[in-house]
Amino acid sequence: MLTKKQKIERAVISVLKVLPVKENRISFLCYNCTQYSCNPKYITEYLHRTYGDKYELIWFYTDENVRKLFPSYVKAYRKNSPAYFCSLLTSRFVISNVTLPRVVDFRKEQICINTWHGTAFKGDSNSHGNDYNRFNYFLAENELTAGVLRRPDSFAYTGEIEKTGMPRNDCLIRGDSERAAKVRETLGIRQDEKILLYAPTFRDTEGEDAFEIDFRALQQSLVDRFGGEWRILLRFHHMQKGRPSAEHAVDVTSYPDMQELLLASDILITDYSSSMWDFSLMQKPVFLFSGDLEHYIKEERGDFYYPYSRLPFPTAADSRELCSRIAQFEEEAYLSAVSEYHRELGRFNICGDATEKFVKKFLKS
C-alpha cells in the first residue's frame, strides 16, 4: 500500500512516461542500490563481455564507495536522482535482486525481472508487504525456490518463473581460478594457504551467542583434520556491519562480493544462510553452527521451507561440538549426501550456464 506521500511522488514521476522506452537500455537494482554484487553483477559482466557496447547498462548507488566498484562501461546514477527515475522509466529491462521502488509505475512495454538472491530456504512471511507481482519474471535457483515463490504466505507470486538457476553461481560451478586468485591477492592470502569462511546470516536480535566460536581451537581442528596452513575469514551479513571482529579471524565483511569469497574458500561455516547451497555446488565441505536454532525458528523466521534436520551438512550447537564435527568429517559420505540434497531440492544450474540461458531467453540474441 502506498502512503499519501508516495502516491504524490508516483504521480510526479509518471510525467517521465512521455519519454520513449529504449530497447537497448537495461537498469540494475542490487540490494536497493547498496551493492555491486550478486546476480545483477554477473549478468552485467556477461553482457559486456559478450556484446560489448550493444547494450546501455545502468547501475544505481546510495554511497560513493559503491559507485567506485562499478566497471567503467556502466553508467552510474545516484538513487532517487532525476536520472535514476528517468533511467528506470525508459529501460526496456529492469533487473533487481530484491524489490522494485514503490513510487515507480512501470509501463507495459517494460520487462521487470527479479533474480532474487539465494535459495528460498528460510521462513519468510513477507512482513514488509512487498508486491512481487509487479515483476514479469522471477528466476529460481531450484524447485524448492520455485515452489516457495508461489506460496500465499510468502512471495505469493503468480507470474512467470524461469528455472535457470542463479547467474552468480556460474563461477562456482565452473571454477573461476582467475577470480579466486584475485580474492587471495586482495586479502593478502598466499595461494598455498587454505581458507575457511565463517558467514553467519542476518538476525533481528542483537545477541552475540550465535557468533561465539573459539577460532583458535577451530584453526587447530582444521590443521589436525585436513593439514596445511589455514586462514579463517569472518563475514557478517551486509545488514549487520559494525559487529565486533573476532580474534584469530580476518574480518572480510567489507569485501564487496560474497560469491568471490565462496569461490576462494575451501570450507564454509554458516548457520541458516542459503550460501550453504551455493557453496555445496562446488562439492566442498559445509558445516553449520546453529546454537540458537530454536530461537531463530520461534522468534525470527518461523519454520524452514526445507527441514533443517534433513540438511546434509554436519551441524554443531557450540564451539566444542563444531571442532568434533570437523575431526569426524568423512568426505565420501558427505558428497553422497550433498548429491542427494541437490536432487531432492531440484537443482537447475548443472553446467554453470545460468547467465547464458538468462540472456538468450530475454534478449533473444
Side-chain angles (χ1 to χ4, degrees):
M1 256 333 243
L2 293 176
T3 65
K4 183 177 181 180
K5 180 183 177 183
Q6 288 173 329
K7 289 179 180 178
I8 295 173
E9 290 175 339
R10 174 177 279 195
V12 172
I13 294 165
S14 292
V15 173
L16 295 171
K17 289 183 177 181
V18 299
L19 299 174
V21 171
K22 293 193 174 184
E23 287 296 317
N24 71 329
R25 178 173 287 176
I26 306 175
S27 286
F28 296 88
L29 296 158
C30 184
Y31 293 116
N32 295 316
C33 310
T34 63
Q35 290 190 33
Y36 178 66
S37 66
C38 198
N39 295 306
K41 170 184 173 179
Y42 289 89
I43 294 169
T44 297
E45 290 183 348
Y46 179 89
L47 287 172
H48 179 72
R49 184 171 63 248
T50 307
Y51 302 106
D53 296 329
K54 179 178 179 179
Y55 295 99
E56 182 185 12
L57 308 173
I58 300 176
W59 275 71
F60 309 108
Y61 63 94
T62 56
D63 184 273
E64 282 294 323
N65 290 325
V66 174
R67 185 188 63 79
K68 292 175 182 177
L69 298 173
F70 297 161
S72 60
Y73 51 80
V74 309
K75 291 185 177 179
Y77 301 119
R78 184 175 290 276
K79 181 182 179 181
N80 293 332
S81 66
Y84 166 82
F85 293 114
C86 181
S87 297
L88 287 175
L89 276 171
T90 58
S91 291
R92 172 62 169 161
F93 296 94
V94 177
I95 299 172
S96 172
N97 73 336
V98 183
T99 58
L100 293 170
R102 295 174 188 265
V103 297
V104 178
D105 185 20
F106 292 95
R107 301 185 246 187
K108 290 183 178 180
E109 61 265 42
Q110 294 185 274
I111 297 176
C112 297
I113 305 167
N114 195 321
T115 69
W116 203 237
H117 51 272
T119 293
F121 168 67
K122 303 186 290 288
D124 184 3
S125 62
N126 189 15
S127 58
H128 298 292
N130 293 311
D131 182 4
Y132 291 112
N133 284 302
R134 296 179 67 203
F135 288 97
N136 303 100
Y137 298 90
F138 246 93
L139 300 191
E141 171 65 7
N142 43 45
E143 286 289 1
L144 173 68
T145 302
V148 171
L149 291 175
R150 298 295 193 203
R151 289 178 62 124
D153 61 344
S154 187
F155 290 80
Y157 181 67
T158 60
E160 294 193 43
I161 297 175
E162 290 299 317
K163 298 180 178 182
T164 61
M166 292 191 301
R168 74 181 193 184
N169 283 338
D170 287 348
C171 67
L172 304 183
I173 296 169
R174 291 189 172 188
D176 190 332
S177 58
E178 184 176 340
R179 197 182 290 266
K182 185 200 76 172
V183 176
R184 288 174 172 271
E185 181 180 357
T186 301
L187 298 177
I189 300 174
R190 300 194 316 270
Q191 297 300 317
D192 61 333
E193 289 182 283
K194 298 180 180 180
I195 297 174
L196 178 141
L197 175 64
Y198 175 44
T201 194
F202 171 77
R203 286 170 173 77
D204 295 322
T205 55
E206 293 299 321
E208 297 295 329
D209 291 348
F211 307 106
E212 291 183 354
I213 291 180
D214 183 342
F215 287 105
R216 178 176 289 177
L218 173 61
Q219 187 168 42
Q220 187 59 53
S221 70
L222 293 169
V223 173
D224 292 343
R225 172 60 184 84
F226 299 103
E229 295 183 48
W230 285 84
R231 295 283 287 274
I232 297 176
L233 308 182
L234 170 60
R235 181 182 175 88
F236 292 120
H237 190 277
H238 65 89
M239 293 177 66
Q240 294 188 301
K241 290 180 179 179
R243 281 185 176 273
S245 298
E247 287 189 80
H248 309 293
V250 179
D251 192 333
V252 294
T253 304
S254 61
Y255 192 89
D257 190 326
M258 176 63 169
Q259 299 312 104
E260 291 186 350
L261 290 175
L262 294 175
L263 177 65
S265 298
D266 299 284
I267 291 177
L268 172 70
I269 297 177
T270 186
D271 40 26
Y272 319 117
S273 168
S274 66
S275 62
M276 67 177 78
W277 167 273
D278 297 2
F279 199 79
S280 73
L281 296 174
M282 297 187 289
Q283 308 294 312
K284 295 179 180 180
V286 176
F287 296 88
L288 303 181
F289 185 71
S290 53
D292 64 342
L293 176 60
E294 185 175 353
H295 171 84
Y296 189 79
I297 292 175
K298 290 183 176 180
E299 304 296 332
E300 298 209 17
R301 298 300 290 266
D303 290 332
F304 293 85
Y305 295 126
Y306 183 87
Y308 197 78
S309 60
R310 287 169 56 188
L311 290 168
F313 313 117
T315 305
D318 57 44
S319 194
R320 180 175 296 181
E321 187 177 13
L322 177 61
C323 292
S324 177
R325 291 284 181 265
I326 291 172
Q328 298 166 3
F329 179 77
E330 296 183 5
E331 184 177 21
E332 186 175 342
Y334 171 78
L335 292 177
S336 177
V338 166
S339 178
E340 175 61 19
Y341 172 61
H342 290 167
R343 186 200 64 77
E344 189 171 347
L345 267 66
R347 173 180 172 179
F348 295 148
N349 193 350
I350 304 297
C351 304
D353 58 354
T355 314
E356 181 181 358
K357 288 179 178 177
F358 171 90
V359 169
K360 287 184 176 180
K361 161 68 180 182
F362 294 105
L363 302 184
K364 303 185 187 307
S365 298

